[in-house]
Amino acid sequence: MLKNKEFLITVLLQGSVLILGVIFLSMEIVSPTWCLVLTAAAIILVNIIATRRRYAQIKKLTEYISDFQYGEESLDLLDNREGELSILKNQLYKLCLTLLHQKELLRKDKIFLANAISDISHQLRTPLTSITVMADLLEQQDLSEQKRKQFTRNILNSLERMRWLIESLLKISKLDAGSVVFKRETVKIQQLIKKACSSFLVQMDIQDQMLVIEGEEALEFDCDIAWTLEAISNIVKNCMEHTGPGGTIRISYSDNHLYTSIVIEDTGVGIAKEDLPHIFERFYRGKNASIDSVGIGLALSKSIVTEQKGVIEVESEPGVGTTFRLKFYR
């Protein structure tokens, strides 16, 4: 309380009035009765002035809060003076800053959600349209058996694409909500990588792509096997889609006292310099994106690696290839 400047000023003024009253009383300038009356009146006046000033400031704060509540975003409230009201003003200033920051975050989240819904709708609409068209064509009586098989295969491919998209979105939603509990399982790195690449071997063979895995066979590390498989698979799929016939996808791994490293590199078309900072953003499709690219696989991989206290880095040179580095810290 003694550090309160407003309180000290009031006490000093009251003390000064009392001292003057004692001086007047000792000098017998006025009668003792009048001296007491005038001293009491002066003290009351000091209190009234101090109270009115305090209530005026409180009223101003109340009006400010009311205006802020109804949309006025002015922050003309910061007070560097000492005193209880000044402390209250500063605390309200911090609160208003926090609320404005939260409001801006909510606005950005709202925009992101709207864009995400739009992107999801677009991604689902394309295969749905294809399925509808193919289903209508299948109803034709004079359709050849070859065409019927082709349309059926196209429908199945579209359904598979929709399934992958929906499952990926559900996985990202779980990660965002923090509802995923990552396990700590010991696994041989080479076995993990081979399992992540197993579903792409046939397609790589068709495209005459070479898969090279380098590293000590006995190396192990701790991770959530299922989720880490998802992260590696998405990156390998991205590399495969952006590597032409006769290209190479090389996966190497190593281990040290700080982290386990998995490096995935390709000899594909590479990533444009302006696209490089955005490739882990959801639904982002760069200049060299494939026709079927949704822009969600790499975003999912980054979320998985980050949630396991890891980092993912990327380097690329257009026309030469791209390198992804995954580091899982101990």
Side-chain angles (χ1 to χ4, degrees):
M1 184 178 290
L2 293 176
K3 294 182 180 180
N4 190 328
K5 189 175 180 180
E6 297 172 355
F7 175 77
L8 287 176
I9 291 174
T10 304
V11 170
L12 288 174
L13 287 174
Q14 291 176 344
S16 300
V17 170
L18 286 173
I19 292 171
L20 288 174
V22 172
I23 292 173
F24 289 159
L25 185 61
S26 62
M27 295 178 63
E28 297 183 356
I29 297 175
V30 293
S31 65
T33 302
W34 277 106
C35 184
L36 290 173
V37 171
L38 291 174
T39 301
I43 291 175
I44 291 172
L45 181 61
V46 168
N47 286 329
I48 290 174
I49 293 173
T51 302
R52 284 175 61 86
R53 182 182 177 187
R54 180 174 293 251
Y55 274 105
Q57 294 185 51
I58 292 174
K59 181 181 178 182
K60 186 177 180 181
L61 282 176
T62 303
E63 292 174 351
Y64 177 87
I65 293 171
S66 179
D67 292 340
F68 187 84
Q69 182 181 357
Y70 289 102
E72 176 60 44
E73 296 184 355
S74 173
L75 291 175
D76 186 20
L77 188 64
L78 194 61
D79 193 342
N80 294 322
R81 294 175 297 178
E82 296 182 1
E84 292 176 348
L85 285 176
S86 297
I87 294 173
L88 178 60
K89 286 182 182 179
N90 291 334
Q91 292 300 322
L92 284 173
Y93 175 80
K94 294 176 184 178
L95 177 61
C96 291
L97 274 180
T98 302
L99 291 174
L100 287 177
H101 179 64
Q102 293 295 329
K103 180 180 179 181
E104 180 63 18
L105 290 179
L106 289 173
R107 185 186 68 82
K108 290 181 179 179
D109 286 345
K110 186 177 180 180
I111 294 174
F112 174 78
L113 181 61
N115 292 335
I117 291 174
S118 176
D119 289 330
I120 294 169
S121 300
H122 174 73
Q123 296 297 338
L124 290 175
R125 189 183 299 116
T126 301
L128 277 174
T129 303
S130 176
I131 290 171
T132 303
V133 172
M134 297 297 173
D136 290 340
L137 291 173
L138 284 173
E139 290 182 348
Q140 297 179 4
Q141 299 296 328
D142 57 345
L143 192 66
S144 66
E145 187 64 23
Q146 182 181 0
K147 284 290 185 180
R148 194 178 300 278
K149 289 181 179 180
Q150 179 184 347
F151 292 156
T152 303
R153 187 166 55 251
N154 289 340
I155 289 175
L156 291 175
N157 289 336
S158 296
L159 289 172
E160 176 61 22
R161 182 183 178 189
M162 290 177 62
R163 182 197 63 78
W164 180 86
L165 176 61
I166 293 170
E167 286 184 355
S168 298
L169 290 171
L170 288 174
K171 289 173 183 176
I172 283 188
S173 298
K174 288 181 179 179
L175 290 170
D176 287 345
S179 60
V180 177
V181 179
F182 286 91
K183 303 175 184 177
R184 302 295 294 178
E185 305 167 288
T186 301
V187 62
K188 287 188 176 181
I189 305 175
Q190 189 174 110
Q191 292 180 357
L192 185 73
I193 293 172
K194 286 183 178 180
K195 190 173 182 180
C197 298
S198 60
S199 59
F200 307 118
L201 294 178
V202 174
Q203 191 170 350
M204 286 182 182
D205 188 53
I206 293 173
Q207 296 181 0
D208 193 25
Q209 294 175 344
M210 180 182 296
L211 175 65
V212 179
I213 301 175
E214 298 175 339
E216 295 182 19
E217 185 178 352
L219 277 183
E220 299 178 338
F221 85 120
D222 295 335
C223 68
D224 187 297
I225 296 176
W227 283 103
T228 307
L229 278 172
E230 178 77 28
I232 295 174
S233 297
N234 288 337
I235 296 174
V236 173
K237 180 174 180 290
N238 182 274
C239 292
M240 184 188 66
E241 291 175 347
H242 293 84
T243 301
T248 301
I249 298 172
R250 187 181 304 274
I251 305 176
S252 59
Y253 57 91
S254 59
D255 189 54
N256 58 47
H257 294 296
L258 295 178
Y259 56 81
T260 297
S261 173
I262 299 176
V263 180
I264 306 171
E265 48 189 325
D266 63 48
T267 57
V269 296
I271 302 170
K273 186 177 180 180
E274 57 270 25
D275 293 330
L276 205 56
H278 306 287
I279 63 167
F280 295 114
E281 295 176 7
R282 297 175 197 178
F283 305 110
Y284 183 84
R285 300 178 73 254
K287 292 181 178 179
N288 298 327
S290 61
I291 298 175
D292 295 330
S293 174
V294 178
I296 197 173
L298 292 180
L300 179 56
S301 294
K302 184 178 181 181
S303 296
I304 293 170
V305 174
T306 302
E307 288 293 328
Q308 297 187 86
K309 297 182 174 61
V311 295
I312 180 169
E313 303 168 346
V314 60
E315 296 176 0
S316 185
E317 185 176 346
V320 177
T322 303
T323 300
F324 293 90
R325 287 187 175 85
L326 285 67
K327 296 179 181 179
F328 296 90
Y329 287 90
R330 297 190 181 281

